[in-house]
């Protein structure tokens, strides 16, 4: 066995799994390494993998995981899905046709050194989800909203005025390159640890005000709920309904997309798997920091790996069929906006002239 693999097998089995997948799927994947992170005498690669169409205009769906190193289950569900796609694409002609019309992008382990050391932050103590140059428009919850007091406290944003951390620069480079020129794209960043429900969050994290993509987010939410009425696992909502933060990387990337492509549709979604459910079912999680964010027992882990496949496949179908659901005309847009405001911003829905930025 390769010595390096032996060395990281215990610390970072997800990376070993990803490299095995890359070996197996090399012919149907385009692989890049936008950065390496130095840790424990290793140069840990951040991999970005593309599958599907190479056409410049192909609608694009991105899966991101491991931004918070401790939330390994996010990387694991992406790896399981990649493996399944790879194996199915060898015999499933419908899948091959679908992949010919869309592009998939995977960045399953954004923060490999953080994952190695089982921490939320990277090895500089920076929380990558508080590190972007974005300021909250409202008072944020103490610490959780992002803080610059100390790298030894959680939710540290990094020093004011410094460039973003290497992991975020790598993520930004790949997302800008792959998504910013597309007229329809969705990204799903997979996290765990918040609450009893699985949530699908959309921007903004920095503001309580509706964001420009709200009508599209509403249309996608309705499409899912209408298509899978019994798959009612998810609470779709603006992240700011739970809490506002400074430094959110998806706020930052969404603003970048909009500046580059003002008429395009981009939904940066975050899946927050509600791990308190696992904690409640098995209090052993409470005595194990990693267990607060990840299922411990194999049967529960398998259940989580299965649980989100419907969502992932739905997103693939949605990105391939944008004209069927993205509001296109001014009146469709207005209708979707009004419904969205009634659902998520009931106070604003009562105002007669709602202007969104
Ligand atoms: Zn997280």
């Amino acid at each position: 066995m390769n010595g390096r693999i032996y060395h990281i097998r215990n610390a970072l089995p997800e990376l070993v799994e990803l490299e095995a997948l890359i070996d197996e799927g090399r012919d149907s994947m385009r692989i890049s390494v936008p950065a390496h992170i130095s840790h424990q005498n290793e140069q840990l690669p951040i991999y970005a993998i593309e599958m599907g169409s190479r056409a410049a205009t192909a609608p694009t769906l991105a899966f991101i995981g491991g931004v918070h190193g401790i939330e390994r289950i996010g990387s694991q569900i992406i790896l399981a899905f990649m493996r399944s796609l790879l194996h199915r694409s060898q015999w499933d002609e419908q899948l091959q046709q679908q992949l010919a019309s869309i592009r998939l992008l995977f960045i399953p382990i954004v923060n490999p050194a953080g994952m190695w050391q089982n921490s939320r932050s990277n090895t500089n103590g920076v929380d990558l989800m508080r590190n972007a140059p974005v300021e909250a428009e409202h008072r944020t919850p103490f610490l959780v909203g992002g803080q610059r007091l100390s790298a030894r406290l959680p939710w540290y944003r990094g020093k004011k005025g410094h460039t973003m951390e290497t992991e975020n620069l790598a993520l930004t480079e790949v997302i800008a390159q792959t998504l910013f020129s597309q007229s329809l794209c969705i990204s799903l960043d997979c996290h765990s640890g918040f609450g009893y429900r699985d949530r699908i969050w959309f921007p903004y994290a920095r503001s309580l005000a509706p964001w420009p993509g709200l009508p599209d987010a509403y249309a996608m939410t309705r499409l899912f709920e209408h298509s899978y009425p019994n798959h009612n696992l998810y609470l779709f909502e603006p992240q700011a309904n739970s809490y506002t933060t400074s430094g959110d990387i998806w706020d930052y990337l969404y603003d970048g997309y909009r500046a580059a492509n003002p008429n395009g549709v981009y939904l940066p979604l975050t899946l927050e798997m509600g791990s308190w459910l696992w904690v409640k079912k098995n209090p052993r999680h409470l005595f194990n920091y990693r267990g607060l964010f990840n299922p411990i027992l194999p049967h529960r882990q398998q259940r989580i790996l299965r649980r989100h496949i419907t969502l992932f496949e739905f997103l693939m179908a949605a990105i391939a069929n944008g004209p069927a659901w993205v509001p296109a005309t001014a009146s469709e847009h207005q209708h979707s906006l009004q419904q969205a405001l009634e659902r998520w911003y009931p106070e604003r829905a009562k105002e007669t002239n709602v202007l969104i930025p």
Side-chain angles (χ1 to χ4, degrees):
M1 181 185 292
N2 178 315
R4 176 173 167 273
I5 288 187
Y6 181 77
H7 185 51
I8 64 174
R9 193 157 76 161
N10 288 326
L12 217 45
E14 291 82 359
L15 184 59
V16 176
E17 160 85 2
L18 175 55
E19 291 185 337
L21 270 174
I22 288 172
D23 270 349
E24 190 182 336
R26 201 165 279 284
D27 292 344
S28 50
M29 295 171 168
R30 280 95 67 192
I31 297 132
S32 64
V33 180
H36 285 87
I37 306 296
S38 303
H39 186 59
Q40 301 271 344
N41 298 320
E42 293 285 348
Q43 291 294 317
L44 301 174
I46 299 177
Y47 284 107
I49 293 132
E50 276 188 30
M51 288 176 74
S53 174
R54 293 169 183 267
T57 53
T60 302
L61 171 62
F63 293 94
I64 317 296
V67 169
H68 289 139
I70 186 69
E71 298 164 18
R72 311 179 88 107
I73 187 69
S75 296
Q76 291 165 8
I77 61 173
I78 295 172
L79 293 170
F81 186 60
M82 287 175 73
R83 182 168 293 281
S84 166
L85 278 180
L86 197 60
H87 290 179
R88 269 180 59 212
S89 66
Q90 289 160 6
W91 58 268
D92 182 340
E93 271 185 40
Q94 279 69 39
L95 177 61
Q96 290 161 4
Q97 283 163 13
Q98 193 184 23
L99 287 174
S101 68
I102 62 172
R103 178 183 296 110
L104 298 179
L105 168 69
F106 300 93
I107 313 177
I109 309 175
V110 172
N111 178 10
M115 191 170 285
W116 181 305
Q117 64 182 12
N118 279 312
S119 69
R120 176 180 169 95
S121 66
N122 70 2
T123 45
N124 297 326
V126 174
D127 185 332
L128 299 173
M129 286 297 279
R130 302 290 186 276
N131 177 235
V134 173
E135 298 304 317
E137 292 168 10
H138 311 271
R139 260 188 77 168
T140 57
F142 179 62
L143 297 182
V144 176
Q147 53 86 16
R148 295 198 198 274
L149 303 172
S150 165
R152 301 174 70 174
L153 293 170
W155 304 294
Y156 179 57
R157 298 188 59 193
K159 288 215 171 71
K160 194 171 179 149
H162 278 210
T163 52
M164 287 194 293
E165 296 294 295
T166 306
E167 295 87 344
N168 271 342
L169 292 174
L171 181 59
T172 299
E173 181 191 319
V174 177
I175 294 289
Q177 225 167 53
T178 317
L179 266 56
F180 281 14
S181 59
Q182 304 305 332
S183 53
L184 175 60
C185 43
I186 297 177
S187 59
L188 184 72
D189 181 17
C190 301
H191 290 251
S192 60
F194 183 84
Y196 286 109
R197 289 288 303 273
D198 290 335
R199 285 156 205 268
I200 307 280
W201 276 342
F202 48 79
Y204 282 123
R206 67 165 182 266
S207 171
L208 295 169
W211 63 304
L214 186 66
D216 308 315
Y218 179 80
M220 187 220 58
T221 301
R222 284 295 298 140
L223 187 71
F224 182 82
E225 292 174 344
H226 195 240
S227 307
Y228 298 94
N230 300 311
H231 202 78
N232 52 351
L233 304 173
Y234 304 109
L235 191 58
F236 291 83
E237 61 176 14
Q239 143 138 30
N241 274 18
S242 290
Y243 53 84
T244 53
T245 65
S246 290
D248 186 279
I249 187 70
W250 298 110
D251 280 11
Y252 175 72
L253 292 172
Y254 178 74
D255 289 349
Y257 174 84
R258 217 162 130 75
N261 200 347
N263 298 315
V265 172
Y266 174 30
L267 297 178
L269 308 175
T270 302
L271 167 62
E272 278 285 343
M273 289 174 266
S275 71
W276 299 357
L277 210 56
W278 318 326
V279 175
K280 190 178 78 173
K281 288 194 174 158
N282 181 351
R284 268 169 49 200
H285 287 85
L286 278 174
F287 303 104
N288 171 345
Y289 179 64
R290 190 164 153 177
L292 292 178
F293 301 93
N294 303 283
I296 293 175
L297 296 175
H299 76 272
R300 190 165 301 283
Q301 186 200 25
Q302 273 195 332
R303 198 175 299 161
I304 305 297
L305 296 183
R306 289 196 297 270
R307 183 177 171 95
H308 302 289
I309 286 180
T310 304
L311 173 71
F312 290 6
E313 289 180 345
F314 162 78
L315 290 174
M316 281 177 65
I319 204 80
N321 295 281
W325 61 274
V326 175
T329 64
S331 80
E332 284 171 6
H333 199 82
Q334 188 56 36
H335 179 74
S336 194
L337 172 60
Q338 195 57 38
Q339 303 280 312
L341 291 172
E342 280 167 24
R343 176 162 175 165
W344 290 305
Y345 302 88
E347 287 308 309
R348 278 175 189 259
K350 289 183 207 139
E351 298 165 16
T352 45
N353 280 316
V354 177
L355 291 174
I356 60 170

